[in-house]
Amino acid sequence: MLPRLYAILDRSFFSDSELLCSTAEELAAGGVSLLQYRDKSGNARQMLEQARELKRRLGDSVKLIMNDRADLCLAAGFDGVHVGQEDLSPEGVRKVIGESLWLGVSTHNSEQVKEADKTSADYIAIGPVFATLSKAHPDPVIDLKGVREARALTRKPLVAIGGINRANCRSVIEAGADSVAVISDLMREPRKSAQDFLRILG
């Protein structure tokens, strides 16, 4: 169900909307088929404008996931929502988005994986696998051992996130993840980077 590579576009990496959208287009050209739009600090109107522009440019070639905001997911015509531990509950989100859209949940330890496994989430994200710079206050690193433990606790598709790059992504899949979520290592030369990842991940 999940592609091996799950690209995350974090608004904080981009100086303007044009750069954000052109990067998304480059990632799609490089083979990315699942992309999450994440903006932890923007206002709703600006986020909706960017989300709609991403949808307009990428069309149906890429599955688009909205971070946190179920309302903006619907308004922008996205394909799903991803929520963290502090956001609306998975079942609360499911009531908003209905049965057909994708729902992903972030987890950071075995207990959270067990809880997420009981929900209607379509996939579970686990991390940070390695040290990461994309969050101001990251959760403790779980390492490959944490990925293996998460794999043993759920049959839902598992996305590993946190500090994953071309050098270590293969080991994460071998530890049991179905997909790797990547932010930083896709930013320089996005098309080539995506192609590299997909080749390594096979």
Side-chain angles (χ1 to χ4, degrees):
M1 169 187 137
L2 283 175
R4 286 281 200 220
L5 178 61
Y6 186 165
I8 298 185
L9 272 187
D10 191 316
R11 174 73 182 90
S12 66
F13 278 80
F14 301 97
S15 54
D16 58 57
S17 295
E18 177 51 40
L19 189 57
L20 178 108
C21 290
S22 62
T23 299
E25 288 177 315
E26 283 291 296
L27 289 170
V32 166
S33 59
L34 179 61
L35 187 134
Q36 182 186 129
Y37 167 64
R38 181 165 102 176
D39 186 346
K40 293 290 191 185
S41 57
N43 66 59
R45 196 179 74 201
Q46 180 187 22
M47 287 169 71
L48 182 56
E49 279 174 13
Q50 286 185 342
R52 282 184 167 153
E53 183 63 11
L54 283 170
K55 181 68 183 173
R56 188 183 71 76
R57 293 203 194 187
L58 298 174
D60 296 325
S61 65
V62 176
K63 254 196 186 312
L64 289 166
I65 307 293
M66 174 68 70
N67 185 268
D68 294 351
R69 299 287 299 261
D71 54 341
L72 297 182
C73 165
L74 293 177
F78 270 31
D79 302 290
V81 180
H82 186 93
V83 289
Q85 290 293 315
E86 292 81 44
D87 302 315
L88 193 60
S89 74
E91 299 320 317
V93 173
R94 185 58 81 192
K95 286 195 179 92
V96 176
I97 66 173
E99 293 303 312
S100 61
L101 296 187
W102 280 20
L103 171 59
V105 181
S106 287
T107 63
H108 310 292
N109 55 52
S110 295
E111 285 309 308
Q112 292 176 357
V113 173
K114 285 180 197 166
E115 286 305 308
D117 188 56
K118 297 174 194 163
T119 71
S120 64
D122 294 290
Y123 69 85
I124 297 172
I126 181 77
V129 181
F130 307 111
T132 174
L133 300 172
S134 67
K135 284 203 168 174
H137 306 288
D139 287 271
V141 167
I142 60 160
D143 209 52
L144 295 173
K145 179 172 176 277
V147 177
R148 284 191 283 271
E149 287 171 0
R151 177 73 289 159
L153 293 171
T154 183
R155 298 180 69 169
K156 290 182 188 283
L158 193 64
V159 177
I161 186 168
I164 297 172
N165 56 38
R166 278 164 275 196
N168 61 29
C169 63
R170 188 75 224 162
S171 66
V172 180
I173 295 292
E174 286 164 0
D178 297 289
S179 179
V180 294
V182 183
I183 306 173
S184 311
D185 203 28
L186 285 170
M187 289 302 108
R188 277 200 311 275
E189 299 182 277
R191 184 187 304 213
K192 179 186 178 298
S193 301
Q195 289 168 338
D196 286 349
F197 267 105
L198 291 167
R199 190 177 66 248
I200 295 164
L201 294 168

